[in-house]
Structure formats: C-alpha cells, structure tokens
Amino acid sequence: MAKVLQIDPRDNVLIALEDLHRGDTVTIGGEPCTLPVDVPCKHKFVTEDRKPGDPVIMYGVLVGRASEAVPRGGAVTVRNLRHDSEGFSATRHAHPWTPPDASKWRNKTFMGYHRADGQVGTRNYWVVVPLVFCENRNVLSLQQAFEEELGYGTPQKYRRQVTQLARLYREGHADPAHASAEQLAQTEQIPKPLFENVDGVRFLTHQGGCGGTREDSENLCGLIAGYLHHPNVAGATVLSLGCQHAQSAILMNELRRRNAGFSKPLVVLDQQQAGTETELMDRAIRETFQGLIEANRCRRSPAPLSKLTIGLKCGGSDGFSGITANPAIGHVSDLIAALGGKSILSEFPELCGVEQSLIDRCATQEAADKFVALMHDYAARAKAVRSGFEMNPSPGNIQDGLITDAMKSAGAARKSGTSPVTDVLDYPEYAVTPGLNLLCTPGNDVECVTAQVGAGANIVLFTTGLGTPTGNPIAPVVKLATNSALAKRMPDIIDIDTGAIVDGASGIPTMGEQILERILHIAGGELKTKAEQLGQNDFIPWKRGVSL
C-alpha cells in the first residue's frame, strides 16, 4: 500500500494514507523529501514551499491560500491555511459525457411498490404528520396506539433490561445490577404485523408550522406534500390545529403541484373543527385503520432500475471521503443516469469552489442560471446572519483532515460522478427529470436527507468517515464507511465498507458496482439498512437561511 496519494496532477498537496512522522522520507515529484513535521493519516502536506497568499490546490481546484510560510513537506493546518475558492459565472463550457457501460444492469430489476402515477417505492409506509407543532402530542399518542398493536414497534432492548432488573429486585435478588445474562433473559414475543404488505406506520413530528416566517411554513407544506407524493408512502394522516400559518389549503395546493391526480388515501383532520381531542383522535384512528386496509392491497412486483431515485449525501466526513466512498457512489450515480434513473446531489454550502465545474456540466443554460442564483442567494443569507460557507467544516472534519470548506467541498462534489446536471431544484421542489439533479439544501445531515427524500429519493446513499447514525422515516439510508477502521469500530450503523479503495484492494468502479448490487437487495425489501434496524427515523425540516 502506498503511503501518500496525489489525487490530481495539478495538486500541490499530497494526502497521507497512514501516519507519517517527522524525519520520514517520501517521494515528491520523483525527488526524496524529508518531512519536517508529523503528518497524521488523512491530512495533507505541500509539495513545494508556500509563502503567505500562495494558492493550495487539491482535486485540481483552489482549496485555500497559505496564511503563513509552509516549507516543502509541511502539513497544512487551520493555522497556516485559510479558506479561498475560485470564482464562477453562469457561462457554461460544456464537455461531452461518456457514460459508463451499464449493459449488465439494463435487464435487472428490483421488487418495488408500483404507484398509480408511475413512481415505484422501495418501501410501503403509512405516514402520520402534523401541519404544526401544536399537534405533536396527538401524533405521539397515535404512535403509542398503533405501533405495538399492529406489530410495527421497534424492540425496546434497553427498556427490557430495566424491566428485568426491576423484576429481579421485586423478587428479592440481592444484587440485580450485576445479574447474569441468563438471569436477565426473557423471551420476547414480537407480534407478526397485522398488515403484511405495509412496512410500517411512520409518525413524524417537527417544530414548525407557525410562529416563524411565512416562507418557512410554505416550505414545510411543500416538504410534507413531497412526502405524501413519495412512492414509498401508501397514504397519510395529517393533523392540523386550524389557525396556524401552515394551512391545509396550502398543503393541498403543493400536493396538486406535484401530482394533479393524487389518488392515495389521505386523511386530513382539523382539531379546532373536530371539537374535543377525543373526537379528533377517534376519527384519526378509525380513518387511519381503514386507510391501512387499502394500503395493504399493494404488493411488490419487478421494476427496472430507471425507477430508482438515489439521494447522494455525506456526513461526518473525513480526509478519505473524497477518495473512497464519495467517488464510489459518484460511479453509482453515473450508472443510474445511464439507466434512466435519477440522483440528487445537495448540500449547497459544500459545493463552494466547485461551482464552475457543475455549471459546465449543466445540460441547459436555464439550469446553470438557476444554480448560480441559488448559490448567490444562499451565500447572502449566510452572511446576513454573520456566517459564511467558510464556517461549514465541523471540529470533527478538521481533526480528520478537512481544513477548509473548499477542501471539504471538492471531495463532497465527487458524489456527483461525471454525468450532466439535468435539472436544478430549489427546496422543497420534487425531482422529475432523469439524470443528476442539484437540490438546494444545507449540509446539515438530517435537514439534507429530509429534503432529499421530500424531493423523491426512494433510497439514500450516505457516506461517513467519522460515523453517524442518520436515518429517515420512509426511505432506506445506506451508510458507507470511508475507511475500514470505522466499519470495524461502529458495525451497528455501517452498511458498506469502502476502505478497500485506500489499500488498493478495490477500484472505484468495482466498488460502485458492488454498492449498486446491494442497493437492489435493499430496494427490493430483502435487506434492511442498519438505520432501519435501529429505528433511526430522523426528520428535520429546513428553516431556510439558518443552517449550513
């Protein structure tokens, strides 16, 4: 295995693939170099002396400028490197795209749920969601009423442990806290789901719908409409208080914008019109149960890969993200594009510095213009709250080698592969154009995944170098480790290990095809993701302009 890596021949930094120490000798441009400092694994060191103001190039793009002198072989750090990135314009310099060979996948299928509008789901859920935070308690009451009785409850292993300790204490056990596993053992009776073709009932809560800006409320209605229209949703129950900004009329208008012929069972109830809470809940229970009977009539059947919409996301990124998992799912995105499916790249603060390359890939000038306008608007909103894209990298990112936002962005953009950008979407618009779609969202893990699913992603590929349990209520979130150490340390949240790319045991195209093969089994319901197994159902709508 090589000790260092140069990603692009234009780069003037190398990546340490293992811990390097002061005094170690490495080869730079065919010449030996004795390192003047330690360079931790995943971090970078310069290939030539840098003076203050000199550019630092990685992935072939500007990722920062030296803020103080850095000698040849010196590590780049937050002390000696400041964020900087290239400017961009809406002028496109289009290049022809050669798609990957997708012939082996053209006749493959996954077992999905076919909807009347032509979409195909990878899961079959009933959704219960409030239009305003005032209804959260009623949603949670419905959750208590439905989940365990219908056989959809997640096994509460921690609650069982406390229950068993309490039982031993009541029975007079002298030291229940140190009881053996055998003494704590209890046979768990998990009921079989009543509706065998319904994968579950998902109960979403949030803190929006009133009290914020009208834009936030309208975006919330659009997001919820995206979830109702989503192919993984068979039907829904929506609870409204009645007087909030996020009115049911706005929701229905947003739903018609996405599907004028919407025909799924939909229960919309207004508490102020219903009267008592008991009357509201009685109707909600009865009508939801009747809707589940209808949802249970849908069964899986074969669907082509063109019916997949893949969300492309990274979170808890490290210095290997841009060389392993991100380009691997970028290859998956290219395969999906070649097959007529859709993929969604988001996280606009993490596209800083690579805007021009994405503009050049836009299939139309209209898409390029929209992307430029959204990037400028997002940057202006961030500045208005005394922030900026340069503040995006987290302490964990920096500790593991992502020193500037432009450096992080250059690696994050590799999730997009090389295919043309066929459409650009503002939040919370829905993806309808085959190929690569750009969706304006923050980099925040849950806000981004929530938005991607609201835009139609029926499966999400989520790369991580540090580890994150992020999931989604209605779409499987596949977690890919950028390094094998993480996959071994946190096996309960990682689905796929892409670390073999670092040591040369696997190439990016090979890994991408392995990922796509796994996707088919997950999409078809044969496998559950780790997030699904853990019941990790994260849902956070984006309040625009606040989050990076």
Side-chain angles (χ1 to χ4, degrees):
M1 171 181 164
K3 292 184 178 181
V4 299
L5 173 69
Q6 184 181 40
I7 296 174
D8 188 282
R10 294 167 290 182
D11 293 355
N12 57 16
V13 293
L14 299 180
I15 303 172
L17 300 181
E18 59 183 53
D19 287 338
L20 302 177
H21 304 284
R22 179 180 180 183
D24 285 352
T25 299
V26 297
T27 301
I28 300 178
E31 298 292 331
C33 174
T34 301
L35 297 180
V37 295
D38 293 343
V39 183
C41 182
K42 307 178 188 178
H43 284 253
K44 294 85 187 169
F45 59 93
V46 296
T47 62
E48 55 194 14
D49 292 343
R50 298 283 81 190
K51 302 187 301 295
D54 281 351
V56 172
I57 308 298
M58 186 176 170
Y59 297 102
V61 299
L62 177 68
V63 298
R65 292 185 183 275
S67 55
E68 60 181 52
V70 187
R72 182 171 182 258
V76 294
T77 67
V78 291
R79 192 184 71 179
N80 61 29
L81 182 68
R82 61 177 173 82
H83 168 83
D84 197 8
S85 60
E86 296 285 0
F88 59 94
S89 73
T91 304
R92 294 182 299 144
H93 304 90
H95 304 287
W97 180 58
T98 303
D101 182 7
S103 57
K104 66 178 284 188
W105 305 95
R106 293 200 183 280
N107 295 322
K108 290 199 173 188
T109 60
F110 69 96
M111 298 296 287
Y113 292 98
H114 293 249
R115 305 300 181 190
D117 59 11
Q119 297 186 99
V120 177
T122 61
R123 297 291 185 268
N124 192 37
Y125 288 117
W126 186 276
V127 165
V128 180
V129 59
L131 278 179
V132 64
F133 57 81
C134 305
E135 292 298 318
N136 281 347
R137 189 177 70 83
N138 287 332
V139 170
L140 295 176
S141 295
L142 289 173
Q143 183 174 11
Q144 290 178 329
F146 272 94
E147 276 194 341
E148 291 193 12
E149 291 301 322
L150 299 185
Y152 296 123
T154 302
Q156 298 294 319
K157 61 180 180 179
Y158 303 119
R159 180 178 175 181
R160 290 201 310 273
Q161 182 178 356
V162 174
T163 299
Q164 287 300 85
L165 288 171
R167 177 183 62 80
L168 290 172
Y169 180 74
R170 292 191 188 98
E171 293 174 355
H173 194 287
D175 190 11
H178 295 89
S180 66
E182 290 76 16
Q183 290 173 309
L184 288 172
Q186 175 181 322
T187 302
E188 182 185 15
Q189 299 296 326
I190 302 176
K192 181 180 179 181
L194 179 62
F195 300 110
E196 61 180 4
N197 297 314
V198 178
D199 291 302
V201 184
R202 290 291 185 252
F203 301 86
L204 315 184
T205 59
H206 55 80
Q207 300 304 314
C210 202
T213 67
R214 294 299 175 94
E215 180 187 43
D216 286 336
S217 294
E218 290 171 1
N219 284 342
L220 175 65
C221 288
L223 177 72
I224 294 173
Y227 274 68
L228 305 188
H229 176 51
H230 196 283
N232 289 8
V233 172
T237 300
V238 178
L239 298 186
S240 167
L241 179 60
C243 58
Q244 73 278 350
H245 286 164
Q247 288 285 300
S248 57
I250 300 174
L251 172 68
M252 298 310 296
N253 184 54
E254 291 290 340
L255 193 53
R256 284 189 291 270
R257 289 177 60 187
R258 287 157 179 77
N259 184 358
F262 184 85
S263 60
K264 296 175 185 176
L266 177 61
V267 179
V268 181
L269 299 174
D270 187 312
Q271 185 171 3
Q272 291 172 342
Q273 290 183 6
T276 67
E277 179 187 298
T278 300
E279 291 173 307
L280 173 78
M281 297 296 281
D282 178 71
R283 283 191 61 190
I285 290 170
R286 291 174 183 274
E287 295 184 36
T288 297
F289 196 90
Q290 184 60 42
L292 285 165
I293 294 173
E294 185 174 341
N296 194 50
R297 298 191 180 105
C298 190
R299 287 170 168 76
R300 290 185 183 270
S301 59
L305 274 61
S306 60
K307 295 298 183 178
L308 289 174
T309 300
I310 308 294
L312 307 167
K313 176 72 179 85
C314 57
S317 299
D318 71 347
F320 283 168
S321 294
I323 63 176
T324 60
N326 286 358
I329 69 171
H331 187 68
V332 174
S333 178
D334 286 346
L335 288 169
I336 292 296
L339 293 165
K342 296 185 284 292
S343 59
I344 301 173
L345 178 71
S346 307
E347 305 177 276
F348 273 30
E350 296 181 18
L351 300 180
C352 178
V354 295
E355 296 97 337
Q356 194 62 56
S357 66
L358 290 169
I359 291 166
D360 292 345
R361 289 167 58 186
C362 284
T364 66
Q365 189 59 50
E366 180 184 10
D369 291 341
K370 187 173 182 179
F371 176 58
V372 169
L374 288 172
M375 287 296 290
H376 283 317
D377 178 69
Y378 203 142
R381 287 177 182 245
K383 291 295 184 185
V385 293
R386 301 181 183 179
S387 187
F389 291 167
E390 69 276 5
M391 297 182 182
N392 177 268
S394 70
N397 296 150
I398 294 168
Q399 182 178 331
D400 263 45
L402 300 177
I403 305 301
T404 68
D405 183 58
M407 183 183 292
K408 182 179 179 181
S409 297
R414 300 193 81 190
K415 300 192 301 291
S416 68
T418 60
S419 66
V421 174
T422 55
D423 204 356
V424 175
L425 310 173
D426 194 5
Y427 174 83
E429 290 180 318
Y430 202 88
V432 297
T433 307
L436 176 64
N437 291 251
L438 302 183
L439 171 66
C440 184
T441 77
N444 176 284
D445 293 348
V446 178
E447 289 174 331
C448 178
V449 173
T450 298
Q452 288 185 335
V453 175
N458 53 14
I459 196 163
V460 177
L461 298 181
F462 189 116
T463 72
T464 181
L466 305 176
T468 168
T470 304
N472 182 266
I474 67 168
V477 178
V478 185
K479 230 68 63 55
L480 301 99
T482 69
N483 61 90
S484 297
L486 169 63
K488 292 174 182 175
R489 187 172 69 254
M490 304 180 75
D492 58 329
I493 67 168
I494 297 299
D495 297 286
I496 299 173
D497 176 12
T498 67
I501 295 174
V502 177
D503 57 27
S506 175
I508 288 171
T510 299
M511 183 63 70
E513 294 205 357
Q514 291 173 0
I515 294 167
L516 183 53
E517 190 65 47
R518 181 78 68 88
I519 287 174
L520 297 188
H521 294 293
I522 292 172
E526 302 161 51
L527 295 175
K528 284 190 174 183
T529 65
K530 298 295 178 65
E532 289 178 297
Q533 294 171 33
L534 290 170
Q536 187 81 32
N537 299 319
D538 302 313
F539 179 81
I540 302 179
W542 178 29
K543 297 186 73 171
R544 192 155 198 163
V546 175
S547 181
L548 291 180

